[in-house]
Amino acid sequence: MRPLPSRSRKNGGISLGLFALCLAAARCLQSQGVSLYIPQSAINATVEEDILLSVEYSCHGVPTIEWRYTSNWGVQKIVEWKPGTQANISQSHKDRVCTFDNGSIQLFSVGVRDSGYYVITVTESLGSSQFGTIVLHVSEILYEDLHFVAVFLAFLTAVAAMLISLMWVCNKCAYKFQRKRRHKLKESTTEEIELQDVEC
Ligand SMILES: *[C@@H]1O[C@H](CO)[C@@H](O)[C@H](O)[C@H]1NC(C)=O
Ligand SMILES: *[C@@H]1O[C@H](CO)[C@@H](O)[C@H](O)[C@H]1NC(C)=O
Ligand SMILES: *[C@@H]1O[C@H](CO)[C@@H](O)[C@H](O)[C@H]1NC(C)=O
């Protein structure tokens, strides 16, 4: 009963080795096909900005490049083209996208709802393909603007309040001072009158 488990282990070892070899071969074939380089896989932008989804590929022959947009609302095809030919841009992105020969696309004047995942697929004429993803986050600038305006208004109000109270205090002081002077003036005139009386 001893040799049996060892033989089965041997068989297992051989099939595992074969499997690993197949995997390596597949890897090798795949890496011979398309390679894709994405320098920036996450982009933060604000509304109205023009965004370059920058990629670079290398492969044999002329591939087909396709960009899809994925968000909470589903998947949408943006554009498909072969470098050097006219791009087929979807209706939803007409006049908003321009394509480059290295596979990059530029989105013009993005909005908050352009946030999401942009998936590029580069497919070689032989059939092998490679995909990559860029995450775009577009934020509203309006909020920050309003925040700034609110802070500025608060500052102005504070300055105005300080000025008004300062003027009030000055006014009060001036009034008191005038009253004192008038009082003194009155006193001096009565003194003079008294003096005159004495002289007489
Ligand atoms: C984008 O913004 C998030 C926070 O909103 C931050 O964590 C991330 O590092 C930013 N990425 C880039 C590339 O600026
Ligand atoms: C792709 O081409 C565009 C336009 O020429 C360029 O701005 C961009 O940097 C290129 N991308 C890469 C990864 O080289
Ligand atoms: C462009 O894409 C649409 C939808 O994917 C397709 O019906 C149409 O045939 C394409 N046009 C060209 C010229 O490839």
Side-chain angles (χ1 to χ4, degrees):
M1 288 310 278
R2 274 264 166 101
L4 203 66
S6 86
R7 207 195 308 161
S8 78
R9 203 188 293 157
K10 211 182 204 172
N11 276 352
I14 285 170
S15 57
L16 207 77
L18 267 176
F19 181 67
L21 210 70
C22 282
L23 211 72
R27 272 267 177 82
C28 199
L29 273 177
Q30 209 175 27
S31 66
Q32 259 185 357
V34 187
S35 75
L36 192 61
Y37 166 64
I38 300 180
Q40 199 182 1
S41 61
I43 299 173
N44 288 340
T46 48
V47 287
E48 304 285 313
E49 248 183 277
D50 298 339
I51 301 302
L52 179 70
L53 301 177
S54 181
V55 301
E56 194 156 33
Y57 68 85
S58 74
C59 69
H60 302 295
V62 180
T64 303
I65 296 165
E66 185 200 84
W67 280 92
R68 281 173 192 274
Y69 164 65
T70 309
S71 72
N72 298 336
W73 300 287
V75 183
Q76 205 177 20
K77 194 164 164 174
I78 299 175
V79 61
E80 183 184 320
W81 83 101
K82 280 174 182 287
T85 65
Q86 181 87 31
N88 189 0
I89 301 173
S90 78
Q91 204 61 43
S92 60
H93 284 79
K94 272 247 140 61
D95 306 325
R96 294 187 50 215
V97 169
C98 108
T99 58
F100 296 99
D101 279 349
N102 63 5
S104 308
I105 57 172
Q106 186 158 30
L107 301 174
F108 298 114
S109 185
V110 291
V112 172
R113 63 199 179 85
D114 287 320
S115 297
Y117 294 86
Y118 290 82
V119 181
I120 176 178
T121 311
V122 180
T123 309
E124 231 181 7
S125 44
L126 289 175
S128 63
S129 68
Q130 186 74 261
F131 71 90
T133 308
I134 295 179
V135 186
L136 176 65
H137 177 76
V138 182
S139 53
E140 193 85 67
I141 40 170
L142 195 66
Y143 170 72
E144 282 165 38
D145 267 3
L146 279 182
H147 191 77
F148 175 74
V149 166
V151 168
F152 189 64
L153 272 183
F155 175 73
L156 273 188
T157 313
V159 168
M162 253 170 60
L163 275 181
I164 287 173
S165 45
L166 203 73
M167 270 165 68
W168 184 75
V169 167
C170 276
N171 204 14
K172 211 63 194 271
C173 280
Y175 182 66
K176 256 191 190 159
F177 183 69
Q178 263 181 0
R179 250 179 55 175
K180 243 187 206 163
R181 242 177 88 170
R182 221 178 282 154
H183 200 71
K184 256 193 192 156
L185 234 94
K186 236 188 223 164
E187 267 179 8
S188 57
T189 44
T190 43
E191 259 172 34
E192 262 174 39
I193 290 165
E194 270 167 21
L195 274 175
Q196 274 174 0
D197 278 354
V198 170
E199 265 175 28
C200 290

